[in-house]
Amino acid sequence: MTCDRLVCANCAGPVSEGRCSVCRAHRERLHQENGPFSLGSLSPAALAALLLTLIAVALLARQAAV
């Protein structure tokens, strides 16, 4: 989730601008939750590619074991 479209309940300004302490705190919390390795930050296409890659590796491992 990004803070681009969020509106602060405290100051009624965009959270991305960080006008008040509530905005800044929420924006900081969002950036900490969405680290570079967070699954929530991956797009659906990236998740599908990851799933297909894992299936391909599993099939290759199964074939090599036989």
Side-chain angles (χ1 to χ4, degrees):
M1 175 187 277
T2 62
C3 54
D4 296 337
R5 294 181 163 222
L6 295 177
V7 177
C8 178
N10 191 44
C11 69
V15 172
S16 60
E17 290 180 8
R19 293 181 185 176
C20 69
S21 61
V22 175
C23 293
R24 289 188 292 273
H26 189 69
R27 182 178 60 185
E28 189 64 32
R29 186 176 59 86
L30 280 174
H31 288 293
Q32 287 175 356
E33 287 177 359
N34 293 329
F37 300 110
S38 171
L39 286 179
S41 65
L42 292 176
S43 69
L47 286 174
L50 180 62
L51 179 64
L52 289 175
T53 303
L54 289 174
I55 291 171
V57 168
L59 289 175
L60 287 174
R62 181 176 176 225
Q63 186 178 6
V66 172

